[in-house]
Amino acid sequence: MTDLQQRHQHLQKRYAAERRFKAYGLAAIIFALGFLAIMLVTITVSAIPAFTQTYIKLNVEFDQKVIDKSGERNVVEMRKSDFQKIIRQGIYDLFPEVTKRKAKKKLKTLLSSEAGYHISSALLSGDKPDLGFIDTKREIWVKSSDDVDSFIKGFINRDIDEDKRRIKDNQITWIDQLQADGRLERRFNWDFFIFADSRSPEDAGIRGAVVGSFFTLLITLVLSFPLGVLAAVYLEEFSKPSKITDFIEVNINNLAAVPSIVFGLLGLALFLNFFNMPRSAPLVGGMVLSLMTLPTIIITTRAALKSVPPSIREAALGIGASKMQTILHHVLPLAMPGALTGAIIGMARALGETAPLLMIGMVAFIVDIPQGVTDPATVLPVQIYIWADSPERAFQAKMSAAILVLLFFLVVMNAIAVMLRRRYERRW
Amino acid sequence: MSYLTLLIILFGLIVAGYQIGQRRAKAVKPKLNSKLPEHKLHSLPGFHGAYVALWCGIPSFILMFVWLFLEPNILSLLLEKQLGEQISGMADGKVELLKSSIRRAAENSQFPVDTALLAVVESYKNIQNQANIAGMVLIVSAAIIGLLISQRNIAQRFMARHKVEYIFAVIMLLSSLVAVLTTFGVVVSLVFETIRFFDHVSVSEFLFGLHWSPQIALRADQVASSGSFGAVPIFAGTLLITFIAMLIAVPIGLFSAIYMSEYASPKFRNIAKPLLEILAGIPTVVYGFFAALSVAPLMRGWGFELGLEISSESALAAGLVMGVMIIPFVSSLSDDVINAVPQTMRDGSYALGATRGETIKLVLLPAALPGIVSSVLLATSRAIGETMIVVMAAGLAANLTANPFQAVTTVTVQILTLLVGDQEFDSPKTLAAFALGFVLFIITLGLNILALKVVNKYREKYD
Amino acid sequence: MSENKIANKYQVRDVNVFYGDKQALFNIEVDVLENQVTALIGPSGCGKSTLLRCLNRMNDVIDVCKISGDILLDGQDIYSKKIDVVELRARVGMVFQKPNPFPKSIYDNVVYGPKIHGMIEHKSDGDEIVETSLKRAGLWEEVKDRLDSPGTGLSGGQQQRLCIARAIAVSPEVILMDEPCSALDPIATARIEELIDELKEKFTIVIVTHSMQQAARVSQKTAFFHLGKLVEFGDTDQIFTNPHNQQTQDYITGRYG
């Protein structure tokens, strides 16, 4: 009896151990996925403010004396004039009681310092803009400064000490009054997608980085895809087992595992210093990334070539196709979806790559949207890194929003890869 | 005349070559009805066309690239000759400056130069034009000669297909050599710069020195302008962070793999496995952001409540986040090797009355151990080479400490900070980055080779 | 050929084949006569497929495969340097054990060979070749309305006839068949056998088969192989009714196989 009891107890213990073991496994997965979820939610939540921007409604007098001093209606000259001044005047007019210089200075910082520039480029766009606004008084919406924006979004607490916040007491009064008058509005921040980087958070956008990423990936694809496919075909179909082939294969496998920053060192030493290629250019970035992507493409293409059954090769050879014709007409087209999938996965990885691009100088502060592959540019992940270094609170939201955009592109690319695989996956 | 024009001309010649080859091949096709191979055209007309086109294109393109590299050098030599005594006795740097301003003046008439140099600029322009035309003529005539010579070969039994296919195979071989060239380029550039670094700093100081402060004095003649380059604190910091990361990644990755392969229902597996793999697909800059702006302040807060002093750039935060990033590297490879253990081994264990957990612990894990070890080695190599998380979350302070709450720095962080934004390329500071890169390359390479060896041995056991 | 005497298409003289260190064929001597069906039979692994693949040099693909001796096609050594293997295979078509149409349309399957051999100058040439080849392979009526549908969508027997059509589209002189019916059901098999009988009017056929009945039904000459050696070669009638060799006798009576 006791023997049986002992056995039973022992068994119970073993089962308890079993349940614990299983629970550890589940806990591990939950931890990993939970971390992923928390990270994504945190980023999404902190990105939300970046998608809106506060605007202030002003009644602006377009004084000819300021915006067209010569009176000649010369558009080119007018573009150079001080629109910020008339906009400043617009907010002074709203608060005539503010007269002291110091207070006026605080008042004007409610407005974005680039507001005048945007108004002038909106009004004076094209060769023959309608100049009817001169010497009229119009109601316009202008961007607020990022501090006002942060205050409206609730990131600046009005209850703490005045010295500790970026918005002062008198500014709070004005903002409250503007809000009461219906002169404040939060709008969807299209500029985030249209503008390039800027020192002022309210004007910083990701278009420059997106275009830079596009050019960089274009170079990467153009270089690595043909090279990778040709190399894969050679290794899989033509090379005979030899020391050289082994050496090439070992090389490819090792390249796939070399830290990305080492590729950055290669790019810096070889492309920039030895070949004197332009710094910060998508051309060089793309070249570095294509060397990193090459192993991925070669490995996936080889797997795809391997999966084409030998009977197809035999069929073509049997009719008298040469080896090259067999491969180019039959084997390679069948392996193409696999090769493309590999290319997309490689491109997705290249899109998220940061460190090697920092090394070749794609980290510069660039306000222009690049027009070609040799223009200085930055890329999305580097833009995120740059903003992470900025002190302004508003950049943190921008950065999260940029991460969301980056993740969106990655999701799209991976979805295409999965679709390609599903659609063309053949069971022989 | 620009390279664009040249490219268009060459392209036109290549197309013409193709057409000519094809036409000529079609013209020598007399006995269509004969079955004997001797009477047939050996290759399709298209191959003859391609043969001529290749002969037209390849030599001229090679020549063009050679010219692209040669032309600036030739021009520069000619310019020096012209400047003659004007530059005798001048410092090299000044000569370069003078030459570049002449070049820019030749390009752009607005560019301000000394009026005394205007004559030189004019004649330089002339030479440049002549060189340009000479290069152009050379390249185009190479294309034409190639076309003319190759099209004469076309005949009934001429094996155009063999030739074209041979050239293609050579192109493929060259493509596969790019990978080798890349490795070669990495090794050469790292070794070269590392040797230059050791001209300034001794090997033993670098490998065993305890103090790292690569700041260089502003003026070269200042005392102690070389900074100090003892890399031990960096290696220690790298090890600390990697250790923390592996402490997270190995148990979690392994337990995930075990659960996935042995306990999870297919449905759970189909959902959870791709989700886990997302962790590996998220760009590292995103992890860096999360580590720096969410995890680190959170830890600081917790530490504060517990009475611990946690630095805002702690090894712990960086290591933790990196560990999460590494999880899929451990889990998916371990999952594969656990699945690869033959079912018969499981059956044998179950038949003895072992529970699942016991089977896993006593049978599967020992059998899969080599594979698991190699996955851990690969993950370690990943962690050592990871850059963005540590750059954003671990900081720059080269503290020699084992305290995970303090800020430490890593090899990758130092490489990046030493090189980003720095234009000067001979100072020990920039060269140190290459020495660190070389160490990083050797270590990750060693780990990868080791991992491959382990996993290959394991394969042999079951194949 | 103009006389009644039947010409030798292939003369196989003292052929040895090695896969690495292993010898697969020993001193083989076979003559293949024009416009006849020659069957190669024997237990699996006896080397009959190896010999077949030597006849159009499909063994070239295998690096470790070495061959000695002479194989003459119309008196010319096909392993000589002067022979281009691509032209050889245009003269000697092949049909494989498992139907292996390209994953392309029926039309493209048939027209591919003529295209790479420069037999098509206008699209109408291709249409003509496709029609005659499919007709000769007995598939035309079944597929003429869906030439654009993929060849892989046909039934097994149809696929094999498509492969035959593909082989004859380049107007070869010889067709090699490597157990063409082994993956097919009896009805499809009968259909292919009928076809082989018709095709021998225009082509010389060498067929490898594991079915003795099939060899007896379709061939005029039979070669019996065992362990890489040619045991007996002669008229099919004689081999099946009055074999000279005891091994042959045992095999055809089903003692082993």
Side-chain angles (χ1 to χ4, degrees):
Chain A
M1 192 64 195
T2 47
D3 192 37
L4 210 65
Q5 254 172 353
Q6 251 176 3
R7 270 196 187 188
H8 185 68
Q9 261 176 6
H10 184 61
L11 203 62
Q12 286 303 313
K13 245 190 215 160
R14 282 174 65 196
Y15 277 130
E18 166 80 12
R19 277 194 297 275
R20 271 202 306 278
F21 194 67
K22 192 175 169 184
Y24 292 153
L26 195 58
I29 293 176
I30 289 172
F31 173 84
L33 296 184
F35 189 99
L36 177 68
I38 291 172
M39 186 163 85
L40 293 180
V41 168
T42 310
I43 290 170
T44 312
V45 168
S46 65
I48 290 168
F51 292 111
T52 56
Q53 166 66 39
T54 308
Y55 280 76
I56 300 175
K57 187 163 75 174
L58 297 177
N59 297 324
V60 175
E61 166 99 50
F62 289 95
D63 188 354
Q64 190 217 312
K65 284 195 269 325
V66 180
I67 58 172
D68 188 19
K69 281 182 195 147
S70 62
E72 289 166 1
R73 298 288 192 268
N74 182 337
V75 179
V76 181
E77 284 304 315
M78 284 170 70
R79 280 187 191 132
K80 293 178 189 161
S81 48
D82 191 359
F83 274 76
Q84 192 71 21
K85 189 173 172 187
I86 57 165
I87 287 169
R88 254 185 338 248
Q89 195 55 49
I91 197 151
Y92 294 155
D93 292 348
L94 286 179
F95 300 97
E97 71 278 9
V98 181
T99 49
K100 284 199 194 112
R101 247 188 102 232
K102 231 178 151 183
K104 272 180 124 171
K105 209 173 165 190
K106 282 274 166 261
L107 183 57
K108 81 177 184 201
T109 53
L110 295 185
L111 300 174
S112 162
S113 56
E114 299 288 320
Y117 169 73
H118 292 307
I119 295 297
S120 86
S121 45
L123 287 173
L124 297 172
S125 64
D127 288 338
K128 287 210 174 351
D130 176 17
L131 296 176
F133 61 87
I134 294 176
D135 275 336
T136 59
K137 194 161 193 166
R138 296 203 177 175
E139 199 168 74
I140 52 171
W141 289 92
V142 298
K143 266 188 199 169
S144 75
S145 70
D146 66 302
D147 287 337
V148 174
D149 192 50
S150 300
F151 180 76
I152 295 291
K153 287 168 182 165
F155 297 127
I156 296 175
N157 187 349
R158 62 168 76 205
D159 297 329
I160 58 172
D161 255 7
E162 189 178 9
D163 322 341
K164 285 188 183 157
R165 52 178 142 82
R166 294 175 63 101
I167 292 277
K168 306 300 171 198
D169 285 345
N170 52 357
Q171 288 178 310
I172 292 180
T173 339
W174 299 324
I175 293 172
D176 286 345
Q177 194 181 335
L178 285 172
Q179 218 159 9
D181 295 348
R183 287 183 173 274
L184 274 185
E185 198 175 280
R186 271 172 82 178
R187 298 189 185 168
F188 188 77
N189 187 9
W190 287 110
D191 290 350
F192 180 66
F193 300 100
I194 298 170
F195 288 172
D197 198 6
S198 164
R199 295 271 183 234
S200 342
E202 70 272 15
D203 270 350
I206 53 163
R207 169 101 173 270
V210 169
V211 173
S213 276
F214 172 78
F215 281 132
T216 308
L217 284 195
L218 189 72
I219 295 288
T220 309
L221 186 68
V222 164
L223 290 177
S224 64
F225 188 64
L227 275 180
V229 170
L230 287 177
V233 170
Y234 179 79
L235 291 173
E236 197 58 41
E237 307 282 342
F238 285 93
S239 71
K240 302 215 164 75
S242 72
K243 285 242 163 79
I244 298 172
T245 316
D246 282 353
F247 182 63
I248 295 176
E249 289 195 18
V250 168
N251 252 304
I252 290 169
N253 286 332
N254 280 330
L255 269 191
V258 168
S260 61
I261 195 166
V262 173
F263 285 97
L265 286 172
L266 173 72
L268 182 62
L270 193 68
F271 297 149
L272 293 191
N273 288 323
F274 190 73
F275 287 121
N276 280 321
M277 290 177 146
R279 272 178 85 82
S280 315
L283 177 67
V284 181
M287 286 169 74
V288 171
L289 291 182
S290 62
L291 294 181
M292 288 181 57
T293 319
L294 208 52
T296 314
I297 296 181
I298 293 178
I299 290 166
T300 45
T301 307
R302 285 188 71 177
L305 287 169
K306 224 176 249 167
S307 75
V308 175
S311 68
I312 296 288
R313 281 166 244 251
E314 281 191 333
L317 290 173
I319 323 174
S322 68
K323 192 161 180 181
M324 191 69 78
Q325 286 171 326
T326 304
I327 290 160
L328 291 185
H329 295 165
H330 299 287
V331 181
L332 196 54
L334 291 172
M336 234 355 145
L340 279 175
T341 311
I344 294 172
I345 290 170
M347 289 299 116
R349 210 175 291 163
L351 176 61
E353 202 53 70
T354 321
L357 300 180
L358 294 178
M359 317 272 303
I360 55 154
M362 291 188 87
V363 66
F365 171 72
I366 290 150
V367 283
D368 295 321
I369 288 163
Q371 302 295 315
V373 292
T374 50
D375 286 357
T378 188
V379 293
L380 260 178
V382 176
Q383 184 72 72
I384 293 165
Y385 172 71
I386 295 173
W387 282 343
D389 262 1
S390 309
E392 281 95 339
R393 178 70 175 73
F395 274 122
Q396 196 180 324
K398 299 270 171 189
M399 172 165 67
S400 308
I403 288 176
L404 286 189
V405 172
L406 178 62
L407 292 180
F408 169 78
F409 282 125
L410 289 179
V411 166
V412 169
M413 288 169 91
N414 282 298
I416 293 173
V418 169
M419 250 167 55
L420 260 179
R421 199 177 294 164
R422 290 248 168 95
R423 177 110 196 254
Y424 291 101
E425 195 173 50
R426 242 173 228 279
R427 297 254 172 242
W428 299 93
Chain B
M1 295 273 249
S2 65
Y3 280 99
L4 187 69
T5 340
L6 183 60
L7 279 178
I8 292 170
I9 293 174
L10 282 185
F11 188 70
L13 279 172
I14 289 169
V15 172
Y18 182 84
Q19 293 293 345
I20 291 171
Q22 205 177 21
R23 292 248 169 96
R24 287 210 46 163
K26 276 183 182 158
V28 288
K29 209 178 176 187
K31 297 171 195 158
L32 191 65
N33 297 328
S34 168
K35 287 287 283 183
L36 288 171
E38 292 81 21
H39 295 155
K40 287 203 297 192
L41 194 62
H42 175 274
S43 308
L44 288 181
F47 280 110
H48 290 273
Y51 171 75
V52 177
L54 284 171
W55 266 106
C56 178
I58 290 177
S60 54
F61 267 95
I62 291 174
L63 205 62
M64 188 167 89
F65 280 110
V66 171
W67 186 250
L68 263 177
F69 280 100
L70 275 185
E71 194 188 22
N73 291 327
I74 293 175
L75 282 176
S76 161
L77 275 179
L78 286 175
L79 185 59
E80 261 174 49
K81 212 171 173 187
Q82 221 178 28
L83 286 168
E85 68 267 24
Q86 281 188 54
I87 54 165
S88 60
M90 262 163 115
D92 275 3
K94 283 218 170 134
V95 175
E96 279 308 312
L97 215 66
L98 185 65
K99 282 201 286 190
S100 89
S101 64
I102 291 172
R103 254 179 239 130
R104 288 175 75 177
E107 259 168 44
N108 176 6
S109 54
Q110 306 284 315
F111 191 82
V113 281
D114 205 330
T115 39
L117 283 175
L118 276 178
V120 184
V121 170
E122 273 312 304
S123 71
Y124 179 74
K125 258 193 200 164
N126 260 333
I127 297 173
Q128 209 175 15
N129 270 337
Q130 282 166 10
N132 221 323
I133 291 168
M136 210 69 139
V137 169
L138 195 69
I139 293 163
V140 171
S141 44
I144 293 173
I145 290 169
L147 192 156
L148 290 178
I149 290 179
S150 60
Q151 62 101 29
R152 284 175 54 192
N153 279 334
I154 289 172
Q156 196 168 32
R157 298 307 300 161
F158 178 63
M159 298 191 170
R161 180 171 51 72
H162 289 212
K163 310 265 178 198
V164 171
E165 291 184 349
Y166 180 75
I167 294 173
F168 252 80
V170 169
I171 292 175
M172 285 178 179
L173 171 66
L174 291 179
S175 307
S176 68
L177 286 178
V178 169
V180 179
L181 278 180
T182 307
T183 313
F184 183 73
V186 167
V187 172
V188 166
S189 55
L190 289 181
V191 167
F192 192 62
E193 306 295 339
T194 305
I195 289 172
R196 283 174 64 194
F197 172 69
F198 287 133
D199 285 346
H200 297 272
V201 179
S202 75
V203 180
S204 60
E205 190 200 332
F206 176 68
L207 288 180
F208 305 111
L210 298 182
H211 190 63
W212 177 268
S213 67
Q215 274 65 31
I216 301 294
L218 292 171
R219 291 199 321 275
D221 54 335
Q222 255 175 328
V223 192
S225 63
S226 58
S228 60
F229 292 96
V232 170
I234 302 179
F235 297 146
T238 308
L239 281 183
L240 179 63
I241 290 184
T242 307
F243 181 72
I244 296 170
M246 299 318 287
L247 223 51
I248 301 280
V250 172
I252 292 182
L254 202 52
F255 270 113
S256 306
I258 290 169
Y259 190 86
M260 291 278 190
S261 63
E262 298 299 311
Y263 290 108
S265 64
K267 211 170 148 193
F268 181 85
R269 195 183 147 89
N270 282 344
I271 296 170
K273 203 171 171 181
L275 281 179
L276 259 189
E277 243 127 71
I278 288 180
L279 282 173
I282 288 179
T284 51
V285 70
V286 178
Y287 284 103
F289 162 84
F290 190 62
L293 283 125
S294 301
V295 178
L298 195 69
M299 296 214 153
R300 208 174 140 79
W302 285 350
F304 189 72
E305 277 173 27
L306 294 170
L308 287 169
E309 184 66 40
I310 298 184
S311 154
S312 65
E313 291 179 325
S314 65
L316 189 61
L320 174 79
V321 174
M322 192 193 280
V324 173
M325 186 197 89
I326 303 283
I327 289 173
F329 291 93
V330 179
S331 73
S332 65
L333 200 61
S334 301
D335 192 7
D336 290 348
V337 289
I338 292 173
N339 274 329
V341 176
Q343 184 62 34
T344 48
M345 289 180 81
R346 288 186 185 82
D347 293 346
S349 173
Y350 292 144
L352 289 170
T355 63
R356 251 170 208 263
E358 286 159 353
T359 307
I360 294 164
K361 272 181 275 187
L362 302 174
V363 179
L364 295 185
L365 288 188
L369 193 63
I372 294 170
V373 167
S374 95
S375 80
V376 170
L377 287 176
L378 284 176
T380 311
S381 133
R382 259 300 138 156
I384 292 175
E386 168 47 39
T387 311
M388 292 320 290
I389 295 178
V390 278
V391 165
M392 294 169 84
L396 296 171
N399 295 325
L400 185 54
T401 175
N403 181 353
F405 302 137
Q406 273 196 5
V408 294
T409 190
T410 71
V411 174
T412 49
V413 173
Q414 288 303 320
I415 295 176
L416 203 70
T417 43
L418 290 175
L419 285 179
V420 167
D422 207 306
Q423 300 278 352
E424 199 185 358
F425 208 58
D426 313 320
S427 72
K429 191 178 151 189
T430 45
L431 294 175
F434 283 90
L436 287 174
F438 188 56
V439 172
L440 182 68
F441 180 71
I442 295 292
I443 290 175
T444 50
L445 194 69
L447 281 172
N448 289 319
I449 290 174
L450 196 64
L452 277 182
K453 277 223 165 113
V454 171
V455 91
N456 278 343
K457 257 213 174 115
Y458 165 80
R459 285 227 180 92
E460 278 163 24
K461 218 165 88 184
Y462 283 115
D463 277 353
Chain C
M1 249 182 291
S2 51
E3 303 144 49
N4 266 346
K5 181 189 152 218
I6 306 172
N8 267 343
K9 194 70 191 169
Y10 268 114
Q11 290 163 289
V12 178
R13 292 288 170 268
D14 194 24
V15 163
N16 291 282
V17 176
F18 301 85
Y19 288 115
D21 299 334
K22 225 187 105 209
Q23 188 162 4
L25 286 177
F26 298 85
N27 311 91
I28 305 298
E29 307 254 345
V30 173
D31 285 335
V32 174
L33 299 184
E34 193 154 11
N35 292 52
Q36 276 200 350
V37 178
T38 305
L40 312 179
I41 62 168
S44 47
C46 67
K48 54 193 194 299
S49 283
T50 302
L51 179 63
L52 191 77
R53 285 167 161 264
C54 287
L55 297 181
N56 69 343
R57 291 180 56 179
M58 277 303 271
N59 281 339
D60 286 14
V61 184
I62 304 159
D63 292 326
V64 292
C65 181
K66 296 276 175 295
I67 175 166
S68 73
D70 296 322
I71 298 178
L72 309 178
L73 175 62
D74 289 339
Q76 198 177 22
D77 184 4
I78 63 168
Y79 278 88
S80 94
K81 282 230 157 60
K82 271 175 24 199
I83 290 286
D84 186 347
V85 65
V86 162
E87 283 179 325
L88 171 71
R89 288 180 194 151
R91 292 171 67 194
V92 184
M94 188 159 194
V95 176
F96 296 85
Q97 192 167 2
K98 236 183 90 197
N100 56 355
F102 299 126
K104 295 183 176 187
S105 72
I106 294 171
Y107 185 94
D108 286 340
N109 259 288
V110 180
V111 91
Y112 178 70
K115 235 185 213 163
I116 57 170
H117 292 301
M119 294 162 66
I120 294 176
E121 246 152 68
H122 309 286
K123 202 192 167 292
S124 56
D125 299 346
D127 296 347
E128 203 184 305
I129 289 177
V130 169
E131 187 173 338
T132 48
S133 311
L134 284 173
K135 270 183 179 156
R136 211 170 269 162
L139 195 61
W140 176 250
E141 290 303 320
E142 292 158 62
V143 300
K144 66 179 177 198
D145 302 322
R146 47 176 175 140
L147 291 176
D148 288 333
S149 57
T152 41
L154 298 172
S155 75
Q158 288 174 323
Q159 283 190 18
Q160 195 61 300
R161 274 180 281 149
L162 176 61
C163 291
I164 293 173
R166 185 175 68 186
I168 59 187
V170 288
S171 334
E173 298 153 42
V174 184
I175 301 176
L176 309 176
M177 296 184 170
D178 189 358
E179 303 194 21
C181 304
S182 65
L184 305 180
D185 62 68
I187 296 169
T189 303
R191 189 82 184 72
I192 302 270
E193 284 177 9
E194 245 169 69
L195 184 58
I196 292 172
D197 210 47
E198 289 163 22
L199 289 175
K200 77 167 193 284
E201 303 296 322
K202 264 198 84 118
F203 307 99
T204 306
I205 294 173
V206 183
I207 179 170
V208 163
T209 174
H210 60 255
S211 149
M212 282 162 295
Q213 290 85 340
Q214 188 168 59
R217 280 195 298 267
V218 299
S219 70
Q220 284 77 51
K221 293 268 187 199
T222 298
F224 172 60
F225 288 79
H226 184 58
L227 295 176
K229 296 193 171 89
L230 178 63
V231 178
E232 193 165 352
F233 177 51
D235 286 339
T236 302
D237 292 342
Q238 172 253 313
I239 295 264
F240 279 93
T241 52
N242 183 23
H244 298 317
N245 189 295
Q246 185 58 39
Q247 264 182 331
T248 319
Q249 167 97 42
D250 290 349
Y251 183 68
I252 59 171
T253 51
R255 284 262 169 101
Y256 70 95

